Amino acid sequence: MRPPAEPRRPPPLLLVLVSNFVLSFGKETLQTTAVTPQFQKNMDYVDFIYLNILEKKVLNNSEVSVQYLCSKPCIVSLEAVASSEFRTGVPVYRRRWKDEKNLYVTRTRQVHLKFPSIMVYRDDYIIRNSIIVHSVILYAWISHRSASNYGEEQNEDYQAAVAKNYTFLEAVPPFERPYKDHKVCLQWGADYLWMLQANRIPQCPHETDGVQVLEFIYASSGEKTGIVKKFEQFENRELETVRQHQIDYPMFTISIWLYLLHHCEKDLCGILYFIDSKEMYGTPAVFLNEEGYVHIQMHLMRGDDLAVKTSFSLPLKQWFRLDLSFKGGQIEVSSVGKNLKRHHHQSFTFREDFYYDDTAGYFVLGGSGYVNGIEAFFGPVRYYRLNVLETEQISNPLHDKDTVEQIELYYERCMDIQDIVHDYRYIVRQGEKTHRSCYYENYYLELIHKYGEKSKCDAFMWGKELREKYHTLFKLLQKMDFSSPDDGSDTVVEVGRRIFEKVVKGLSSANGLSNLGSSVPLLVDSSCCGYHKASYFLAVIFETGLGVPVDRIKGLLYSLVGAQGNERLSVMNLGYKHYQGINNYPLDLELSYAYYSNIAIKTSLDQHNIKGEQAFVETIRLMDDELLKAQTKENGDVFMWLKHEATRGNAAAQQRLAQMLFWGQQGVAKNPEAAIEWYAKGAIETEDPVLIYDYAIVLFKGQGVKKNIKLALELMKKAAAKGLPQAVNGLGWYYHNFKRDYKKAAKHWLIAEELGNPDASYNLGVLYLDGIYPGVPGRNQTVAARYFYKAAQGGHIEGTLRCSLYYITGNMEDFPRDPEKAVIWAKHIAEKNGYLGHVIRKALNAYLELSWHEALLHYILAAETGIEVSQSNLAHICEERPDLARKYLATDCVWRYYNFSVSQVNAPSFAYLKMGDFYYYGYQNQSRDLELSMRMYAQAALEGDSQGFFNLALVMEEGNSIPSYILDHLEIDQALHSSNTSLLQELYYRCWNNSNQESISPCSLALLYFYMRVLWNNVLHSTLIYFMGTFLLSILVAFAVQSFQSLSGNDSEDSTRAVQQDEPTLSNDLSQQESNPQSPLGTS
């Protein structure tokens, strides 16, 4: 009930243009000192000191020769300062000595350097963590100091030194250092363990700071959705150390390709920005303003924010690259063309450094819940996390040159078309105004204008070349009526809509698909006019080869154009293709989420809008005869029967009838006004709590009826008193929205939540998110997220949206980042969109009316958005009408869409069985794949389909074995069913168990036959059968011998009689055969 509250917005973007900048000299810390260690000779000054090292490496006992001269009593100091990956300027060696006697005499002293073991030795059993040394500087200086000053700090001595010098020592990598002889004896076990891992050099993960944030083109429609990217810490220890050091002194570069269509219509539109863990803007935040200038905001180390604005604006309708580099307090901004030549460049410098931790939050390309995105196409985006690069050093090429050029050509052509439409309408309207002034004086001319042929422009002001290029458009414009008064709609878009409706009407006719080739130019004109339903039609036509040859580039072009124009089906098409990684679209979950979340948000808003071509999305399969019979229309038997029962006062019939009319369900056209009449009738007459609640809701919101808060509240209380959970939630919604009484609202929502109402769970989450829950100070996002998750589990749309956002950002502790889960949840909501439901309903109605061309067209449109039920239904139509599929589709319809279907998380079992059969027998050009076939059968079995188990058993009967991972997937214990007989028994038993056990099924017969075979085999292979066989054979032999002896004794007496008896028998047999020549075996 309660729409989601606005999330806490980041701080307002700073609109200050910093103009007077002072050059920053870099990072100033207490640990670094600016020094100039250069020895400058002075002829009047005789003191000097030199260092001489034979091997300038960091080694123990390295010998250094120090040559010096003192003019006064002096102190000679020697100090080594090291910098590692963790610390800088750390003294690791010190040595001092006095020289008071040898004045004006050159002295040489040999010094042996000693360093900490972790700097000069490898890791071993005792030295566990040797450090990586970046640099070592050996300083030497002379001070004219007395003995009393001997203990002063070395920094002061060096600065006041009368002579000084230094040299660099080369650090030795850890795995090139020797092992240290510790002079200890390890225990045998410890020594053995160490020997096992000695001399092993660990390999650092191959990792670079350059990240390709986006590779494929992204169509940004200017909505509050975009691509969310999150970066983790580096696995490579060195890179991670550098990253942490640069948190307060950022050094990074971002390169973004853009094709900008419009400047920002509002204050600021998002290009790329960082949202921290507290949901606040961080560094960097790059936006576009209304004038096309780039607005850049940074978060400073001291906690506040600072923003600047470029002095150059970004170009429209041409590809360019925006490069931004950040170094400490300095920003470089450049605009580069397709030829990689710099167009604009500007620098900004600040005294303060920025705070930057790219792992403590997430990046957004485009829009988000806080700001709208730009209206543009994003090309490749490259991010260098640790380096500042010049324009020439950046490697971020514009890859897909064909699509890039097609986008440019499309918008060039569309500019011409839009100009023609606008000018044509203006000329016609001006001519009408001229004629209309005469109509008021001539009644006859007024009647001609009112009822005669409408005005058109025959005298073209356009050149011949342009008329020939757009001849179909001019011919169509001449047939259009421009005499209707302005209704505030965009004229060019309205012309596009008329062109599109004319084309669709032709395509939906009996043989409409045969006209597809000639319809493509008109659809292109409609798309150029900004009516992007035509763009999606073109995308599907070229991707599937519907009536035209397949053209992947044009299919991608019109998909991107339609998505950028906010056409819902185009957006879903791109979301689906990137989710599955099919049709040459790369698998990119973040990009898929950007598209799906756009439509998911619209789905929530569309459900509150009763206008528009929307219908309830229903799962109706063409193979389900019962569901097909239940489909009806306003004059159908089901609807008329419901109407009859509703008129008689049947509450259930009134409720169902109102739902069908309000949402456009079960084949009934959407009619909110008629639905409200039934809601009102049922609420007043039947006292049904559901009808009372539904009527109260439409009165509260004024949907199709005038608002009546007083009556709505009475009805809501009445329904709540009857114990209806959603009515109790509705009372809480009333106290929250109309009375701002959060205590009463929370009270009612807690009661409703206990009754299992998901709306109440969501509303309680909003109270915690907004920080207005009674008795709880401040916001509590953690508790709010738990309530949202509970609401999502109950099917709540807004709750599901919130959870999908948590999964994509990973900013909530209870929701670890999971882009795939985020996509699945957003996809689930997007597929409930009413405009998509309208297309599916048109396809189903056309199928029921046997309008095959229209059904095929609309099912393809729905199937390409990733709707599983439309994919399996389309495959069914192609099986039912293969002639139609072969004639109009360049792709194999049955294979393509059953394959798409089984890739979905909610695929039906019959689709798995179909694909299993295709793999088993080999479908047309597809080769036979027995293993894939068994995987499909197993998946059908897991869906509870007995046929899946039956097919697996038949595959085994043919002598094939089922792979072990498939048996594990079916949860069949291979230890218990090691033999084929045992496994077959298990499969046939599960087949019978998942079938209808009350009637004789193929599974029950198969199981019975299996048991009979097992019994017969057991009998044949038993010892008893051999004993019985031998006994019976002995009896038969004895009987045969006895019979032979009795017959041979009477042979001479009966021989004559036998001959006499045989002759009539033979003659009788012959006569019987002749009497029935068609039954020669009749006597046998």
Side-chain angles (χ1 to χ4, degrees):
M1 292 303 303
R2 163 82 157 81
E6 283 293 322
R8 183 169 68 98
R9 297 184 63 82
L13 299 171
L14 302 176
L15 302 175
V16 179
L17 175 61
V18 180
S19 56
N20 299 320
F21 300 110
V22 179
L23 182 64
S24 172
F25 290 98
K27 181 177 175 59
E28 298 177 3
T29 68
L30 296 177
Q31 293 182 334
T32 58
T33 304
V35 294
T36 309
Q38 183 178 359
F39 178 66
Q40 298 179 351
K41 294 184 180 180
N42 189 330
M43 298 302 297
D44 298 329
Y45 204 77
V46 296
D47 294 75
F48 68 85
I49 186 167
Y50 295 132
L51 295 172
N52 185 21
I53 306 178
L54 293 177
E55 191 175 8
K56 291 189 175 183
K57 289 188 177 182
V58 180
L59 301 172
N60 253 5
N61 292 319
S62 293
E63 189 175 65
V64 180
S65 176
V66 183
Q67 187 178 14
Y68 65 92
L69 181 147
C70 294
S71 61
K72 295 180 181 181
C74 64
I75 299 174
V76 182
S77 301
L78 200 64
E79 183 174 271
V81 177
S83 296
S84 71
E85 57 182 335
F86 302 108
R87 297 178 64 188
T88 59
V90 180
V92 294
Y93 174 81
R94 286 176 181 172
R95 177 79 183 273
R96 294 187 184 189
W97 64 89
K98 294 185 294 182
D99 195 338
E100 297 177 348
K101 298 178 180 180
N102 303 300
L103 304 181
Y104 297 102
V105 177
T106 300
R107 301 276 294 174
T108 301
R109 184 160 184 167
Q110 304 297 325
V111 178
H112 293 275
L113 302 178
K114 289 188 178 180
F115 297 106
S117 297
I118 57 175
M119 287 179 58
V120 291
Y121 293 114
R122 283 186 65 171
D123 283 355
D124 58 21
Y125 198 78
I126 296 176
I127 302 173
R128 291 307 182 113
N129 293 298
S130 61
I131 61 173
I132 300 173
V133 181
H134 291 161
S135 64
V136 177
I137 305 175
L138 183 62
Y139 293 100
W141 67 93
I142 298 173
S143 301
H144 289 170
R145 298 284 180 92
S146 63
S148 61
N149 294 330
Y150 186 78
E152 290 190 4
E153 290 294 329
Q154 58 89 15
N155 281 344
E156 296 179 0
D157 286 345
Y158 188 82
Q159 297 297 332
V162 295
K164 50 191 172 183
N165 206 337
Y166 73 93
T167 187
F168 286 97
L169 300 181
E170 182 183 347
V172 179
F175 295 101
E176 293 180 12
R177 300 171 190 169
Y179 286 109
K180 183 177 181 180
D181 184 4
H182 293 286
K183 307 295 184 182
V184 295
C185 184
L186 297 176
Q187 293 182 356
W188 179 87
D191 187 57
Y192 178 74
L193 290 174
W194 168 243
M195 292 302 296
L196 289 176
Q197 60 181 349
N199 298 318
R200 290 186 182 179
I201 300 177
Q203 297 296 317
C204 294
H206 180 69
E207 204 170 5
T208 175
D209 75 313
V211 181
Q212 196 69 40
V213 178
L214 181 65
E215 293 185 3
F216 203 74
I217 296 174
Y218 166 54
S220 175
S221 60
E223 300 290 313
K224 287 193 171 184
T225 54
I227 301 173
V228 176
K229 290 285 184 178
K230 189 175 180 69
F231 297 101
E232 302 296 336
Q233 296 181 358
F234 287 104
E235 293 183 10
N236 187 298
R237 190 174 68 175
E238 292 188 22
L239 292 178
E240 178 58 22
T241 302
V242 175
R243 187 195 69 81
Q244 292 180 8
H245 282 173
Q246 293 182 3
I247 286 177
D248 55 356
Y249 190 80
M251 296 178 65
F252 63 93
T253 304
I254 299 172
S255 176
I256 308 170
W257 280 102
L258 290 171
Y259 186 88
L260 201 59
L261 295 176
H262 305 285
H263 292 148
C264 188
E265 294 183 358
K266 299 185 179 180
D267 293 335
L268 293 171
C269 297
I271 298 177
L272 179 141
Y273 45 95
F274 185 76
I275 303 292
D276 65 18
S277 57
K278 297 180 181 178
E279 296 294 317
M280 305 290 283
Y281 286 125
T283 302
V286 184
F287 304 93
L288 184 71
N289 70 5
E290 295 169 311
E291 300 170 329
Y293 299 115
V294 181
H295 174 106
I296 308 171
Q297 178 172 309
M298 292 72 60
H299 187 65
L300 302 179
M301 284 296 298
R302 66 173 183 242
D304 54 354
D305 299 283
L306 188 65
V308 294
K309 183 177 69 174
T310 61
S311 59
F312 63 87
S313 61
L314 299 182
L316 294 178
K317 294 185 179 176
Q318 69 179 60
W319 285 99
F320 67 92
R321 196 179 79 190
L322 182 65
D323 295 337
L324 302 104
S325 62
F326 296 77
K327 182 179 181 181
Q330 187 174 357
I331 305 174
E332 303 282 339
V333 186
S334 301
S335 171
V336 181
K338 280 177 65 177
N339 56 5
L340 299 184
K341 289 185 178 180
R342 182 183 290 180
H343 292 167
H344 303 281
H345 177 77
Q346 192 169 0
S347 299
F348 304 97
T349 308
F350 305 91
R351 282 191 175 277
E352 295 193 58
D353 295 329
F354 310 138
Y355 178 82
Y356 178 67
D357 184 358
D358 64 354
T359 64
Y362 57 91
F363 278 94
V364 179
L365 278 172
S368 68
Y370 304 117
V371 66
N372 288 75
I374 56 174
E375 294 184 55
F377 294 99
F378 282 85
V381 178
R382 185 80 171 171
Y383 170 40
Y384 297 91
R385 300 177 66 182
L386 304 177
N387 284 300
V388 177
L389 302 179
E390 297 293 333
T391 299
E392 298 78 14
Q393 297 175 304
I394 295 173
S395 176
N396 185 26
L398 197 56
H399 294 293
D400 195 351
K401 293 184 178 180
D402 291 335
T403 306
V404 164
E405 291 175 1
Q406 286 292 325
I407 290 175
E408 289 179 321
L409 293 172
Y410 171 83
Y411 283 103
E412 286 175 9
R413 185 181 192 279
C414 290
M415 285 176 67
D416 292 341
I417 289 177
Q418 291 174 13
D419 289 342
I420 291 170
V421 171
H422 186 271
D423 293 344
Y424 186 94
R425 179 184 178 277
Y426 176 78
I427 293 169
V428 173
R429 295 298 294 270
Q430 287 298 114
E432 284 184 352
K433 287 180 181 178
T434 304
H435 293 306
R436 195 176 293 117
S437 60
C438 303
Y439 297 158
Y440 297 113
E441 301 172 4
N442 191 320
Y443 181 69
Y444 177 70
L445 291 176
E446 186 179 353
L447 291 176
I448 290 177
H449 172 72
K450 188 174 182 179
Y451 299 105
E453 186 177 353
K454 302 302 178 183
S455 299
K456 61 182 181 181
C457 180
D458 293 319
F460 288 110
M461 59 176 282
W462 298 274
K464 181 180 179 182
E465 183 180 349
L466 201 63
R467 293 203 309 270
E468 289 179 353
K469 185 177 181 181
Y470 302 113
H471 66 279
T472 55
L473 176 64
F474 281 113
K475 189 181 295 185
L476 205 61
L477 288 172
Q478 286 182 292
K479 297 178 182 179
M480 287 188 178
D481 178 19
F482 292 96
S483 60
S484 57
D486 290 332
D487 56 358
S489 60
D490 189 332
T491 303
V492 178
V493 176
E494 178 61 23
V495 169
R497 184 188 65 81
R498 294 184 192 180
I499 297 173
F500 176 77
E501 289 179 350
K502 177 182 174 68
V503 172
V504 171
K505 185 177 180 181
L507 294 177
S508 300
S509 59
N511 294 307
L513 293 181
S514 58
N515 303 320
L516 259 172
S518 59
S519 300
V520 168
L522 294 175
L523 287 172
V524 171
D525 292 341
S526 175
S527 169
C528 276
C529 289
Y531 197 72
H532 290 296
K533 285 186 178 180
S535 302
Y536 181 61
F537 263 64
L538 288 166
V540 171
I541 286 171
F542 285 117
E543 280 198 5
T544 61
L546 183 61
V548 299
V550 173
D551 191 329
R552 302 286 187 195
I553 295 175
K554 285 187 177 179
L556 172 59
L557 167 69
Y558 288 108
S559 288
L560 291 169
V561 168
Q564 199 287 320
N566 241 338
E567 165 55 30
R568 288 165 174 78
L569 271 65
S570 280
V571 178
M572 288 192 64
N573 172 44
L574 288 172
Y576 170 64
K577 299 295 171 57
H578 284 296
Y579 171 52
Q580 295 287 349
I582 53 179
N583 285 18
N584 298 322
Y585 290 81
L587 177 64
D588 191 327
L589 295 177
E590 286 94 350
L591 187 52
S592 175
Y593 178 81
Y595 290 123
Y596 270 129
S597 61
N598 184 358
I599 303 306
I601 292 171
K602 284 184 173 61
T603 299
S604 175
L605 299 174
D606 290 341
Q607 287 192 351
H608 299 292
N609 182 12
I610 62 176
K611 297 180 181 179
E613 295 182 333
Q614 297 191 68
F616 190 79
V617 179
E618 300 172 280
T619 303
I620 300 170
R621 303 194 182 277
L622 301 184
M623 291 72 75
D624 193 331
D625 294 332
E626 294 299 321
L627 271 179
L628 291 180
K629 290 176 183 177
Q631 302 307 301
T632 183
K633 288 189 175 180
E634 286 77 356
N635 57 355
D637 294 339
V638 175
F639 186 86
M640 296 303 292
W641 179 82
L642 280 172
K643 191 173 182 180
H644 172 72
E645 289 296 309
T647 306
R648 293 179 56 192
N650 186 319
Q654 290 173 341
Q655 194 180 125
R656 183 64 192 135
L657 199 63
Q659 288 175 352
M660 289 166 65
L661 289 166
F662 192 85
W663 297 107
Q665 294 178 349
Q666 213 168 319
V668 177
K670 195 173 182 180
N671 190 343
E673 290 76 13
I676 290 167
E677 291 180 8
W678 287 109
Y679 281 137
K681 182 179 176 65
I684 295 169
E685 292 181 1
T686 65
E687 296 288 316
D688 181 73
V690 176
L691 288 168
I692 294 172
Y693 166 78
D694 288 337
Y695 187 46
I697 287 295
V698 296
L699 288 173
F700 268 129
K701 295 185 176 181
Q703 291 180 319
V705 68
K706 187 178 179 180
K707 278 187 179 182
N708 190 333
I709 304 299
K710 184 178 179 180
L711 178 58
L713 180 60
E714 291 178 6
L715 292 171
M716 193 66 76
K717 287 181 177 179
K718 193 174 183 179
K722 293 177 178 288
L724 191 68
Q726 52 263 48
V728 179
N729 172 73
L731 285 177
W733 180 80
Y734 167 78
Y735 286 115
H736 179 276
N737 280 33
F738 293 96
K739 295 297 183 181
R740 295 292 185 265
D741 189 340
Y742 304 130
K743 190 173 182 179
K744 283 188 177 181
K747 177 183 176 183
H748 284 90
W749 285 337
L750 285 170
I751 296 171
E753 196 215 9
E754 289 181 1
L755 295 173
N757 183 258
D759 289 330
S761 299
Y762 178 80
N763 292 333
L764 287 168
V766 171
L767 289 182
Y768 278 104
L769 186 66
D770 290 347
I772 55 177
Y773 192 90
V776 178
R779 303 169 74 245
N780 192 326
Q781 294 190 63
T782 304
V783 176
R786 290 169 186 166
Y787 275 114
F788 292 149
Y789 184 80
K790 188 173 183 180
Q793 294 294 97
H796 195 275
I797 288 180
E798 286 84 359
T800 306
L801 274 174
R802 291 273 186 182
C803 291
S804 72
L805 180 63
Y806 293 149
Y807 280 123
I808 197 67
T809 62
N811 251 13
M812 295 294 296
E813 186 178 350
D814 293 342
F815 293 83
R817 190 165 192 266
D818 191 339
E820 184 174 6
K821 187 175 287 187
V823 171
I824 292 172
W825 285 41
K827 180 176 184 285
H828 174 71
I829 300 302
E831 290 180 349
K832 296 178 182 292
N833 191 271
Y835 289 92
L836 177 63
H838 177 72
V839 175
I840 297 173
R841 171 49 59 181
K842 287 182 73 173
L844 181 60
N845 288 345
Y847 177 82
L848 294 174
E849 294 168 3
L850 301 181
S851 179
W852 294 103
H853 285 243
E854 186 180 6
L856 184 67
L857 174 64
H858 286 93
Y859 267 127
I860 291 176
L861 293 172
E864 288 296 311
T865 66
I867 303 298
E868 187 284 317
V869 66
S870 297
Q871 292 171 341
S872 55
N873 283 349
L874 178 57
H876 177 77
I877 288 177
C878 293
E879 282 186 306
E880 200 171 352
R881 289 292 307 272
D883 56 323
L884 199 67
R886 282 194 298 268
K887 184 176 182 181
Y888 294 111
L889 280 169
T891 56
D892 191 322
C893 176
V894 177
W895 174 268
R896 174 184 175 89
Y897 291 105
Y898 273 135
N899 210 3
F900 282 0
S901 176
V902 297
S903 299
Q904 305 271 27
V905 294
N906 57 339
S909 60
F910 70 83
Y912 290 116
L913 294 173
K914 283 281 185 183
M915 289 304 299
D917 290 344
F918 292 161
Y919 285 123
Y920 183 79
Y921 295 107
Y923 180 77
Q924 295 185 2
N925 296 328
Q926 305 295 330
S927 58
R928 190 169 184 257
D929 193 322
L930 192 61
E931 186 174 344
L932 272 177
S933 171
M934 288 189 282
R935 284 173 58 182
M936 292 295 154
Y937 292 147
Q939 194 61 43
L942 285 174
E943 296 294 326
D945 196 316
S946 58
Q947 187 70 43
F949 289 109
F950 187 80
N951 289 358
L952 286 172
L954 289 182
V955 170
M956 282 198 64
E957 295 271 19
E958 293 181 356
N960 301 300
S961 59
I962 300 176
S964 59
Y965 72 90
I966 293 180
L967 295 177
D968 292 338
H969 199 49
L970 291 170
E971 296 183 353
I972 294 178
D973 192 340
Q974 299 178 59
L976 296 176
H977 305 285
S978 56
S979 66
N980 285 349
T981 303
S982 175
L983 188 54
L984 276 172
Q985 180 181 350
E986 179 67 16
L987 291 172
Y988 280 129
Y989 175 78
R990 291 194 182 191
C991 174
W992 170 76
N993 198 39
N994 283 277
S995 61
N996 186 3
Q997 299 179 14
E998 296 180 358
S999 60
I1000 297 176
S1001 65
C1003 289
S1004 58
L1005 293 175
L1007 185 62
L1008 178 62
Y1009 177 62
F1010 173 79
Y1011 281 137
M1012 291 178 63
R1013 283 188 299 160
V1014 171
L1015 179 63
W1016 179 249
N1017 289 334
N1018 290 337
V1019 168
L1020 287 178
H1021 291 84
S1022 64
T1023 307
L1024 179 63
I1025 193 65
Y1026 288 114
F1027 173 76
M1028 293 296 295
T1030 305
F1031 179 72
L1032 290 173
L1033 182 62
S1034 303
I1035 295 175
L1036 287 173
V1037 169
F1039 180 75
V1041 170
Q1042 186 179 1
S1043 299
F1044 178 76
Q1045 290 175 349
S1046 61
L1047 287 172
S1048 59
N1050 299 326
D1051 181 48
S1052 57
E1053 298 177 7
D1054 299 338
S1055 59
T1056 306
R1057 189 186 309 167
V1059 172
Q1060 292 175 350
Q1061 288 179 350
D1062 285 343
E1063 288 179 354
T1065 302
L1066 181 60
S1067 61
N1068 287 341
D1069 289 343
L1070 288 173
S1071 63
Q1072 192 172 1
Q1073 288 183 21
E1074 290 173 2
S1075 66
N1076 188 9
Q1078 295 183 355
S1079 300
L1081 301 179
T1083 58
S1084 60

